């Protein structure tokens, strides 16, 4: 099982980016999927999550600017980031609470760097 995140890059303040995360491998079901981020020199922090039923939740710092969505048929999760700020600069990690034949646990993607700077 593998989670592959993509879409990071350099963007100016006020700009937008869309992150994607694809799940591959032998999975039985996907429950919650979401994103964490780790700013330079800081601890990892939770950003957003979406349940299998489509319910979403966001950290206060990104509410109203970021939108999480998923395509369950493709086992993908997205993070649309608008009105980006320098403080959004971080490595973004996707995660999925997956069930496989060995059981259920959280899996992590490798991270994608988002840099917000002029």
């Amino acid at each position: 099982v593998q989670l592959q995140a993509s879409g990071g890059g350099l963007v100016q303040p006020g700009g937008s980016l869309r992150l994607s995360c694809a799940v591959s491998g032998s999975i039985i079901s996907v429950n919650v999927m979401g994103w964490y981020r780790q700013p330079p020199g800081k601890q990892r922090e939770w950003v957003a999550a979406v349940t299998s039923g489509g319910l979403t939740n966001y950290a206060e710092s990104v509410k109203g600017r970021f939108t999480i969505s998923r395509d369950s048929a493709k086992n993908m999760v997205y993070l649309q980031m608008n009105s980006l700020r320098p403080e959004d600069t971080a490595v973004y990690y996707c995660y999925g609470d997956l069930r496989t034949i060995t059981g259920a646990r959280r899996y992590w993607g490798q991270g994608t760097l988002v840099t917000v700077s002029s």
Side-chain angles (χ1 to χ4, degrees):
V1 176
Q2 189 176 21
L3 273 70
Q4 182 73 37
S6 61
L10 173 64
V11 62
Q12 292 187 340
S16 298
L17 277 178
R18 187 192 194 209
L19 306 183
S20 300
C21 178
V23 179
S24 60
S26 298
I27 57 175
I28 297 173
S29 63
V30 182
N31 190 6
V32 176
M33 297 192 73
W35 296 88
Y36 273 75
R37 67 185 181 185
Q38 187 165 18
K42 298 184 179 180
Q43 290 187 332
R44 190 177 295 194
E45 60 187 21
W46 174 78
V47 176
V50 56
T51 69
S52 58
L55 296 177
T56 59
N57 201 9
Y58 298 92
E60 283 299 322
S61 59
V62 306
K63 200 171 289 187
R65 300 187 298 122
F66 291 11
T67 302
I68 189 170
S69 61
R70 65 190 286 173
D71 184 334
S72 296
K74 297 180 179 179
N75 285 332
M76 294 197 65
V77 65
Y78 307 96
L79 188 67
Q80 177 66 43
M81 305 185 294
N82 299 327
S83 302
L84 283 162
R85 305 167 180 169
E87 54 263 39
D88 295 317
T89 294
V91 177
Y92 284 72
Y93 298 90
C94 62
Y95 69 91
D97 294 333
L98 313 179
R99 178 173 295 279
T100 68
I101 59 171
T102 60
R105 71 171 181 90
R106 177 161 293 179
Y107 291 80
W108 293 89
Q110 85 286 4
T112 184
L113 177 62
V114 172
T115 303
V116 185
S117 175
S118 55

